[in-house]
Coordinates of all heavy atoms in Angstrom, one line a residue:
G1 N -149.1 101.5 140.5 CA -149.2 100.1 140.7 C -148.4 99.3 139.6 O -147.9 98.2 139.9
L2 N -148.4 99.8 138.4 CA -147.7 99.2 137.3 C -146.2 99.0 137.6 O -145.5 98.1 137.1 CB -147.8 99.9 136.0 CG -149.2 99.9 135.4 CD1 -149.3 100.7 134.1 CD2 -149.6 98.4 135.0
E3 N -145.6 99.9 138.5 CA -144.2 99.8 138.8 C -143.8 98.5 139.5 O -142.7 98.0 139.3 CB -143.8 101.0 139.7 CG -143.9 102.4 139.0 CD -143.5 103.5 139.9 OE1 -143.4 103.3 141.1 OE2 -143.4 104.6 139.3
T4 N -144.8 97.9 140.2 CA -144.5 96.7 140.9 C -145.2 95.5 140.3 O -145.3 94.4 141.0 CB -144.8 96.8 142.4 OG1 -146.3 97.2 142.5 CG2 -144.0 97.9 143.1
L5 N -145.9 95.7 139.2 CA -146.7 94.6 138.6 C -146.0 93.3 138.4 O -146.5 92.2 138.8 CB -147.3 95.1 137.3 CG -148.2 94.1 136.6 CD1 -149.5 93.8 137.4 CD2 -148.6 94.6 135.2
K6 N -144.8 93.3 137.9 CA -144.1 92.1 137.6 C -143.8 91.3 138.8 O -144.1 90.1 138.9 CB -142.8 92.3 136.8 CG -142.1 91.1 136.3 CD -140.9 91.5 135.5 CE -140.2 90.2 134.9 NZ -139.6 89.4 135.9
I7 N -143.3 91.9 139.8 CA -142.9 91.1 141.0 C -144.1 90.7 141.8 O -144.1 89.6 142.4 CB -141.9 92.0 142.0 CG1 -142.6 93.3 142.4 CG2 -140.6 92.2 141.3 CD1 -141.7 94.1 143.4
R8 N -145.2 91.5 141.8 CA -146.4 91.1 142.4 C -147.1 89.9 141.8 O -147.4 88.9 142.4 CB -147.4 92.2 142.5 CG -147.1 93.3 143.5 CD -148.2 94.3 143.6 NE -148.4 95.2 142.5 CZ -149.3 95.1 141.5 NH1 -150.2 94.1 141.6 NH2 -149.4 95.9 140.5
V9 N -147.2 89.9 140.4 CA -147.9 88.9 139.7 C -147.1 87.6 139.8 O -147.7 86.5 140.0 CB -148.1 89.3 138.2 CG1 -148.6 88.1 137.4 CG2 -149.2 90.4 138.1
E10 N -145.8 87.7 139.7 CA -145.0 86.4 139.9 C -145.2 85.8 141.3 O -145.2 84.6 141.4 CB -143.5 86.8 139.6 CG -143.2 87.1 138.1 CD -141.8 87.5 137.9 OE1 -141.1 87.9 138.9 OE2 -141.4 87.5 136.7
T11 N -145.3 86.7 142.3 CA -145.5 86.1 143.7 C -146.9 85.6 143.8 O -147.1 84.5 144.4 CB -145.2 87.3 144.7 OG1 -143.9 87.8 144.5 CG2 -145.4 86.7 146.1
H12 N -147.9 86.3 143.3 CA -149.3 85.8 143.3 C -149.3 84.4 142.7 O -149.9 83.5 143.3 CB -150.2 86.7 142.5 CG -150.6 88.0 143.2 ND1 -151.4 88.0 144.4 CD2 -150.4 89.3 142.9 CE1 -151.6 89.2 144.7 NE2 -151.0 90.0 143.9
S13 N -148.7 84.3 141.6 CA -148.7 83.0 140.8 C -148.0 81.9 141.6 O -148.5 80.7 141.7 CB -148.1 83.2 139.5 OG -148.3 82.1 138.6
A14 N -146.9 82.2 142.2 CA -146.1 81.2 143.0 C -147.0 80.7 144.2 O -147.0 79.5 144.5 CB -144.8 81.7 143.4
H15 N -147.6 81.7 144.9 CA -148.4 81.3 146.0 C -149.7 80.5 145.6 O -150.1 79.6 146.3 CB -148.9 82.6 146.7 CG -147.8 83.3 147.5 ND1 -148.0 84.3 148.4 CD2 -146.5 83.0 147.6 CE1 -146.9 84.7 148.9 NE2 -145.9 83.9 148.4
A16 N -150.3 80.9 144.4 CA -151.5 80.2 144.0 C -151.2 78.8 143.6 O -152.0 77.9 143.9 CB -152.0 80.9 142.8
L17 N -150.0 78.5 143.1 CA -149.6 77.1 142.8 C -149.5 76.3 144.0 O -150.1 75.1 144.1 CB -148.3 77.0 142.0 CG -147.8 75.6 141.6 CD1 -148.8 74.9 140.8 CD2 -146.5 75.7 140.9
Q18 N -148.9 76.8 145.1 CA -148.8 76.1 146.3 C -150.2 75.9 146.9 O -150.5 74.8 147.4 CB -148.0 76.9 147.3 CG -146.5 77.1 147.0 CD -145.8 77.9 148.0 OE1 -145.8 77.6 149.2 NE2 -145.2 79.0 147.6
M19 N -151.1 76.9 146.8 CA -152.4 76.8 147.4 C -153.2 75.7 146.6 O -153.9 74.9 147.2 CB -153.1 78.1 147.3 CG -154.6 78.1 147.8 SD -154.7 77.7 149.6 CE -154.1 79.2 150.3
A20 N -153.1 75.7 145.3 CA -153.8 74.7 144.4 C -153.4 73.3 144.7 O -154.2 72.4 144.8 CB -153.6 75.0 143.0
Q21 N -152.1 73.1 144.9 CA -151.6 71.8 145.2 C -152.1 71.3 146.6 O -152.4 70.1 146.8 CB -150.0 71.8 145.2 CG -149.5 72.0 143.8 CD -148.0 72.3 143.8 OE1 -147.4 72.8 144.8 NE2 -147.3 72.0 142.7
W22 N -152.1 72.2 147.5 CA -152.6 71.9 148.9 C -154.1 71.5 148.8 O -154.5 70.5 149.4 CB -152.3 73.0 149.8 CG -152.9 72.8 151.2 CD1 -152.4 72.1 152.2 CD2 -154.1 73.4 151.7 NE1 -153.2 72.2 153.3 CE2 -154.3 73.0 153.0 CE3 -155.1 74.2 151.2 CZ2 -155.4 73.3 153.8 CZ3 -156.2 74.6 151.9 CH2 -156.3 74.2 153.3
L23 N -154.9 72.3 148.1 CA -156.3 72.1 148.0 C -156.6 70.7 147.4 O -157.6 70.0 147.8 CB -157.0 73.2 147.2 CG -157.2 74.5 147.9 CD1 -157.6 75.6 146.9 CD2 -158.3 74.4 149.0
E24 N -155.8 70.3 146.4 CA -156.0 69.0 145.8 C -155.9 67.8 146.8 O -156.4 66.8 146.6 CB -155.0 68.8 144.7 CG -155.4 69.4 143.3 CD -154.7 68.8 142.2 OE1 -153.5 68.6 142.2 OE2 -155.4 68.5 141.1

């Protein structure tokens, strides 16, 4: 799992920002 951690976390974070803005 650590092999893909960076690309996963960066994508999670980008998606979460979009979700947070929409929820507001």
Side-chain angles (χ1 to χ4, degrees):
L2 289 178
E3 294 181 348
T4 59
L5 181 64
K6 186 174 186 293
I7 58 174
R8 285 188 290 103
V9 168
E10 288 174 347
T11 303
H12 283 296
S13 192
H15 286 189
L17 178 58
Q18 293 179 58
M19 180 63 76
Q21 292 168 334
W22 176 80
L23 283 166
E24 278 199 315

